[in-house]
Amino acid sequence: IGGCNLQVEDCGAITELMCMFPLLTRLNLQYNCLGTLGIAQLEDSLIRSRLELLILDDNDLDSEAGSILGRVLQENQHIRQLYVSKNRIGNDGVRDLLKGAQESQSLQFLELNRTGIDAGVLDAVVMCLSHQSTRRA
C-alpha cells in the first residue's frame, strides 16, 4: 500500500489490516503521509506484529517518530529490516531509533538515507553496528 496517499486518518484501517492478517511479514507504507501522529497510532500494532520488513520511506516522520520506532524495535523481535529514508527524523530521532536497534535481536538492516542527520550522529551508528556484526546501515 505504498504510494497510496494514506493519511493519519487511514491508520485505523492499517491496524485492522494487521489484525486481519496476523502473520503478515512485510508492510510497505512508503510514499504516504502518515506523519508522526500516524506512527504513534500504529505503535501498538507494530509492536505486536510479526513484521520482518517495514518500509516507511517518505512519510513526513520527525524525531518523535524516531523515538516511537525505537520503542517498536525494542519490543518487536521480528523486524529484520526497517527503511525510514526521506524523512526528517534528524539527529535526536535517529539516536533514539538506534537505541532501540541496539536492543533488537532481530534487526539486520536499517536504512537512514536523507533523514537529516549530520556527522555527529555517525558515532552512534558505528556503535550500533558494532553490537552485532551482521547489521548493515
Side-chain angles (χ1 to χ4, degrees):
I1 49 181
C4 292
N5 199 32
L6 298 175
Q7 310 280 324
V8 66
E9 297 84 11
D10 300 308
C11 288
I14 297 169
T15 297
E16 224 175 283
L17 174 80
M18 293 173 72
C19 288
M20 288 173 54
F21 299 98
L23 300 179
L24 187 70
T25 59
R26 297 171 181 240
L27 185 57
N28 180 353
L29 294 171
Q30 69 183 345
Y31 308 124
N32 285 299
C33 301
L34 299 178
T36 296
L37 186 57
I39 295 303
Q41 289 183 14
L42 294 173
E43 181 176 4
D44 289 339
S45 295
L46 292 172
I47 288 171
R48 291 189 312 267
S49 77
R50 293 187 177 262
L51 292 176
E52 295 177 5
L53 169 67
L54 178 58
I55 305 173
L56 295 169
D57 295 338
D58 200 6
N59 259 289
D60 196 30
L61 305 180
D62 63 15
S63 63
E64 186 180 341
S67 299
I68 293 167
L69 291 169
R71 289 192 300 269
V72 168
L73 290 176
Q74 285 177 329
E75 299 293 325
N76 181 315
Q77 295 300 312
H78 298 282
I79 297 176
R80 294 174 188 256
Q81 298 179 54
L82 176 62
Y83 294 78
V84 292
S85 294
K86 299 181 184 175
N87 287 292
R88 51 188 172 80
I89 295 174
N91 290 337
D92 292 338
V94 168
R95 280 189 188 99
D96 289 343
L97 184 55
L98 292 173
K99 286 177 190 172
Q102 287 177 330
E103 297 294 320
S104 172
Q105 299 299 310
S106 60
L107 188 69
Q108 295 176 356
F109 183 86
L110 175 61
E111 187 169 286
L112 298 169
N113 294 326
R114 298 173 58 190
T115 52
I117 59 173
D118 59 32
V121 81
L122 292 179
D123 288 339
V125 172
V126 170
M127 183 181 294
C128 180
L129 290 172
S130 69
H131 282 288
Q132 186 175 346
S133 62
T134 58
R135 290 190 177 155
R136 298 174 297 169

